[in-house]
Amino acid sequence: MLNFMLDSLEPFIDAISILQRFDHDTADLEGSPTMFSIIISLASSPPSLLALQIMPQFFSHFSCDQLHYVNVPIAEVATIISNMERDGFYSFVFFLLANQERIAFAFKRHSQQRRWDTRQLKSEPLEPKKVGEIDYSSFVSIDLEEFRSSVITLCAGRALVTITNSEISFDVPYINREIILSKEKRECIIGGFEEGEKVISEITLFPIKLLNSSRLKRLWIFKTNDSSVIILVAPTGLWQ
């Protein structure tokens, strides 16, 4: 079972509005006892996933007994919640029904209201997408304005990233363009990488729409435990 409750619709609308920038009709919902995620696959090279991850503390109630993974019409979800807020509803409960073939919402206008207005949408159970476990022991942190400027300068859809204990570089070999950010020059913060250690991976620079959000201040870059994938994390600062 997966269900959660929010006492205000606005924070959740703000959260999913970030994903709506990418004009996807569907998204994958992943629920676990420690996290709720909305995931979309980007049509980019290399193949990339964009995930909005929300911790249980964000919700006024959160319950999940095991890992659940379903595909849902996220555009319809956003429309329903926005319309209900416009019509004066202020709180809602989300349910993933037992067979995982439908999701349900229940809305009410005020705490004394006994009757809930409900909506249901189809969902489709899926196999979870695995991108590897994040290694939080090492990281790179970049001011978002600095990173946004670098993406604009590179003017490419993807870049080869190299991280050492002193710098991070973004290289686009086919147009002979490279940007290096140095820890010594305070252009970035690097922690946890040993001297002589080097991590190399290719990343997409496609989600520039995400980087234009005024909520985001810094970008954090982590590697997976096996160093095979680089993960970009942008805390949104959303809370109730």
Side-chain angles (χ1 to χ4, degrees), residues 6-227:
L6 277 171
D7 291 328
S8 173
L9 298 181
E10 185 177 359
F12 195 72
I13 292 173
D14 284 348
I16 60 178
S17 69
I18 296 173
L19 297 181
Q20 285 183 284
R21 297 166 184 255
F22 296 89
D23 300 322
H24 274 243
D25 292 331
T26 65
D28 299 340
L29 300 187
E30 180 182 284
S32 74
T34 59
M35 190 75 70
F36 175 75
S37 302
I38 306 174
I39 304 166
I40 61 176
S41 299
L42 299 179
S44 61
S45 177
S48 304
L49 299 176
L50 176 63
L52 176 67
Q53 296 186 317
I54 307 174
M55 298 180 70
Q57 293 89 333
F58 176 82
F59 305 99
S60 51
H61 167 77
F62 182 87
S63 176
C64 185
D65 59 345
Q66 62 183 30
L67 180 65
H68 297 278
Y69 205 98
V70 296
N71 183 263
V72 301
I74 192 64
E76 292 184 54
V77 170
T79 298
I80 287 173
I81 296 176
S82 296
N83 288 345
M84 297 304 279
E85 184 195 38
R86 183 195 60 202
D87 292 342
F89 292 87
Y90 82 97
S91 66
F92 82 102
V93 179
F94 168 91
F95 298 93
L96 174 62
L97 302 185
N99 60 9
Q100 299 194 82
E101 293 180 355
R102 299 192 76 81
I103 56 175
F105 303 88
F107 299 86
K108 65 177 180 178
R109 285 190 170 90
H110 51 77
S111 57
Q112 286 74 35
Q113 179 181 335
R114 293 186 177 182
R115 186 178 66 85
W116 292 73
D117 287 70
T118 61
R119 302 288 188 276
Q120 291 192 21
L121 292 172
K122 290 183 178 180
S123 60
E124 180 183 354
L126 297 173
E127 288 296 319
K129 292 181 172 68
K130 295 294 184 181
V131 296
E133 294 293 325
I134 296 178
D135 176 10
Y136 289 102
S137 66
S138 54
F139 65 89
V140 179
S141 179
I142 305 171
D143 179 84
L144 194 62
E145 284 297 327
E146 183 80 50
F147 185 75
R148 186 184 292 119
S149 175
S150 299
V151 170
I152 293 172
T153 300
L154 290 171
C155 192
R158 63 185 187 274
L160 190 66
V161 178
T162 302
I163 304 173
T164 68
N165 71 330
S166 61
E167 65 182 31
I168 179 171
S169 67
F170 301 89
D171 184 24
V172 186
Y174 59 89
I175 57 174
N176 195 28
R177 193 169 293 168
E178 182 181 30
I179 289 178
I180 299 175
L181 302 179
S182 167
K183 180 174 71 173
E184 183 178 355
K185 295 179 181 178
R186 298 187 176 182
E187 296 168 328
C188 63
I189 301 170
I190 299 177
F193 289 91
E194 301 291 337
E195 186 173 355
E197 182 181 1
K198 181 182 292 187
V199 174
I200 302 174
S201 183
E202 190 177 31
I203 65 168
T204 178
L205 300 177
F206 176 75
I208 188 67
K209 297 177 184 178
L210 176 66
L211 304 181
N212 288 332
S213 171
S214 61
R215 289 186 177 275
L216 309 181
K217 304 302 180 186
R218 296 193 69 83
L219 184 75
W220 296 78
I221 300 176
F222 300 94
K223 61 184 179 66
T224 53
N225 286 330
D226 61 2
S227 299

